[in-house]
């Protein structure tokens, strides 16, 4: 089976993890801040907080922005459930804004209309999670203008898009958001097995997220709310979690950062080749936004004829092509239906879901494998 995505682990990566296993610290040691600085430096953000998953990063990002019971979080339905669940972890309500049919990202026009209606109704969200589907940034400049006009805070769920650019600058620089989150799950652009990171330019948000990652505890006397009893003293200031990243994970991530440019270059080459090779088939290739360079986490085709969707998917799987579907609209999950959402609520997302297939794209995909994918797809759609 040619997988839709997978990691590449080099001998250098293995040596970096092994070195940590022979050293003094297995968690919260010296490699973690080096990994944080490498990512922050690369994307141009001032602060970075590494955690055990992007899901955890989204959770502490929401908490740092004071999201809580009675508040509202908005995201788009075509995403992994974690982009919405982070609001539920904080006791908030979640609602969705439909997607742009070409980029699969939150539709700025729909957002504008929904924000105006929410302002009139006195029910504005506190936080919007803008997802970077497939590695392509949403229209963050416009989204930020809309959000700021209503005093709404912004998190970028850039789980797919480390290494991407938007308006000529790296995704993750938080130029248009309070916090940006990356994922290092094995199918993502670089990996730490499990892992994530929250980036911000706001030192207060960074300090809060650092504390929330480790039980809400501080050892900094300057932050303590009562005088320390002695040199052993620490204080718990908030209710935090154990969301720490291990040193082995940080060492793997730091080593993977050396290969980021190579990974992105190969992913872009594969995506460009798909655009050419699939041009004559009865399907649509992913839309590309101007002045935006995707990291190409996913390559998602949409079939012209939705009645062929299931059979095409099955034929490709039977042919050894590890296709997938990203994503089932979150509002159609049983958990969210129980909260009141129903089919028909977000038509562009549901139209997309009836046609979308993720075909293999990763930095290790060979030209031969890509040719096999194209041949299988062509067979499935023309016979
Ligand atoms: C993978 C992913 C996440 C969760 O990442 P983990 O590191 O697995 O917790 C969140 N949002 C999106 C859009 C993702 O693709």
């Amino acid at each position: 089976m040619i997988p839709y995505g997978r990691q590449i682990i080099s001998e250098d990566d293995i040596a970096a993890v092994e070195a940590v296993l022979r050293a003094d610290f297995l968690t919260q040691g010296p490699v973690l801040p080096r990994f944080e600085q490498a990512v922050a430096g690369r994307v141009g953000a001032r602060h970075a907080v590494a955690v055990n998953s992007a899901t955890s990063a989204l959770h502490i990002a929401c908490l740092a922005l004071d999201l809580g019971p009675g508040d509202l979080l908005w995201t788009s339905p075509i995403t992994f459930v974690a982009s919405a669940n982070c609001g539920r972890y904080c006791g908030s309500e979640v609602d969705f804004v439909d997607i742009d049919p070409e980029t699969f990202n939150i539709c700025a026009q729909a957002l504008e209309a929904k924000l105006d209606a929410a302002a009139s109704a006195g029910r504005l969200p506190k936080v919007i999670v803008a997802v970077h589907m497939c590695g392509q940034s949403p229209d963050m400049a416009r989204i930020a203008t809309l959000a700021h006009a209503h005093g709404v805070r912004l998190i970028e769920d850039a789980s797919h898009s480390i290494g991407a650019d938007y308006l000529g600058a790296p995704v993750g620089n938080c130029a248009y958001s309070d916090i940006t989150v990356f994922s290092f799950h094995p199918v993502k652009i670089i990996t730490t097995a499990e892992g994530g990171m929250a980036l911000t330019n706001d030192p207060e948000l960074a300090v809060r997220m650092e504390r929330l990652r480790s039980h809400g505890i501080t050892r900094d006397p300057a932050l303590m709310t009562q005088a320390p009893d002695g040199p052993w003293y620490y204080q718990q200031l908030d209710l935090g979690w154990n969301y720490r990243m291990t040193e082995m994970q940080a060492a793997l991530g730091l080593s993977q950062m050396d290969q980021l440019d190579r990974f992105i270059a190969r992913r872009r080459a594969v995506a460009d080749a798909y655009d050419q090779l699939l041009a004559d088939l009865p399907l649509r290739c992913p839309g590309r936004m101007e002045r935006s360079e995707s990291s190409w986490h996913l390559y998602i085709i949409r079939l012209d004829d939705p009645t062929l969707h299931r059979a095409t998917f099955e034929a490709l799987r039977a042919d050894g092509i590890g296709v997938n579907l990203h994503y089932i609209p979150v509002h159609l999950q049983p958990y969210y239906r129980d909260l009141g959402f129903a089919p028909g609520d977000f038509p562009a997302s549901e139209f997309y879901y009836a046609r979308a297939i993720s075909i293999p794209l990763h930095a290790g995909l060979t030209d031969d494998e890509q040719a096999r994918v194209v041949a299988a797809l062509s067979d499935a759609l023309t016979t």
Side-chain angles (χ1 to χ4, degrees), residues 243-283:
Y243 282 167
R244 293 187 300 260
M245 174 179 273
T246 69
E247 283 286 274
M248 290 83 80
Q249 291 170 308
L252 179 54
L254 184 61
S255 178
Q256 288 257 304
M257 281 300 285
D258 290 341
Q259 301 158 86
L260 177 61
D261 289 336
R262 191 166 63 79
F263 291 168
I264 295 289
R266 178 60 188 160
R267 284 176 176 275
R268 286 180 178 159
V270 172
D272 290 348
Y274 270 140
D275 278 3
Q276 303 273 315
L277 296 165
L278 302 176
D280 296 328
L281 293 181
L283 55 82

Side-chain angles (χ1 to χ4, degrees), residues 180-202:
T180 300
V181 167
F182 292 136
S183 171
F184 309 124
H185 181 278
V187 296
K188 306 285 164 73
I189 308 292
I190 64 163
T191 192
T192 61
E194 297 281 1
M197 201 176 281
L199 295 107
T200 184
N201 293 324
D202 180 332

Side-chain angles (χ1 to χ4, degrees), residues 53-55 58 79-80 82-83 131 157 159-160 183 185 188 194-195 327:
S53 73
T55 303
L58 287 165
T79 185
F80 186 55
S83 315
V131 180
D157 183 347
S159 289
H160 298 181
S183 171
H185 181 278
K188 306 285 164 73
E194 297 281 1
Y327 294 92

